[in-house]
Amino acid sequence: QVQLVESGGGLVQAGGSLRLSCAASGRTFSSYTMGWFRQAPGKEREFVAGINWSGENTYYADSVKGRFTISRDNVKNTVYLQMNSLKPEDTAVYYCAANRAIVVLTTKRAWDYWGQGTQVTVSS
């Protein structure tokens, strides 16, 4: 099992940046594919970005491509989401997720472990 704890959320103006972190417990972090999802009020939880175990392969939702970057540090057991050029529509609770899939999957049912989430609010 792996436990996930997100941090780094907050309030930022449109056009600004934030970096989210997700710290994972356990000694097998490097064997997990990691992802970020978000859920805005009244909406379904949606895939944002994913990264495979080695960090060589990444995948992004079209809505964040070119603005967000996912990365991981397998020594620190941490995955990051660098968010630039933030827009009000990026406002949501952001969740870190993990599974042992070989490839990045975008459906939330495919992910086995979830953090508690961190709030990101982008003001216009």
Side-chain angles (χ1 to χ4, degrees), residues 4-81:
L4 307 172
V5 179
E6 302 96 336
S7 62
L11 174 64
V12 64
Q13 289 188 332
S17 299
L18 281 175
R19 187 175 83 154
L20 305 183
S21 299
C22 172
S25 65
R27 292 177 289 180
T28 59
F29 174 76
S30 61
S31 67
Y32 287 89
T33 292
M34 301 298 297
W36 287 96
F37 284 72
R38 67 186 181 186
Q39 188 166 16
K43 294 188 176 182
E44 292 289 319
R45 191 171 299 187
E46 64 176 2
F47 173 81
V48 174
I51 188 167
N52 76 325
W53 69 273
S54 68
E56 292 179 350
N57 296 318
T58 57
Y59 190 77
Y60 298 92
D62 288 343
S63 58
V64 306
K65 203 171 293 183
R67 300 188 298 123
F68 291 10
T69 302
I70 188 171
S71 61
R72 68 187 297 160
D73 185 331
N74 286 343
V75 174
K76 295 182 178 180
N77 283 10
T78 302
V79 63
Y80 304 97
L81 185 67

Side-chain angles (χ1 to χ4, degrees), residues 81-92:
L81 185 67
Q82 178 67 44
M83 306 186 295
N84 298 329
S85 302
L86 282 161
K87 304 175 182 180
E89 50 263 44
D90 294 318
T91 295

Side-chain angles (χ1 to χ4, degrees), residues 85-122:
S85 302
L86 282 161
K87 304 175 182 180
E89 50 263 44
D90 294 318
T91 295
V93 177
Y94 283 71
Y95 296 91
C96 179
N99 65 23
R100 290 185 180 270
I102 296 174
V103 297
V104 174
L105 303 171
T106 61
T107 56
K108 59 184 180 182
R109 289 179 296 176
W111 298 80
D112 301 312
Y113 304 101
W114 295 87
Q116 292 186 324
T118 185
Q119 176 71 47
V120 171
T121 303
V122 184

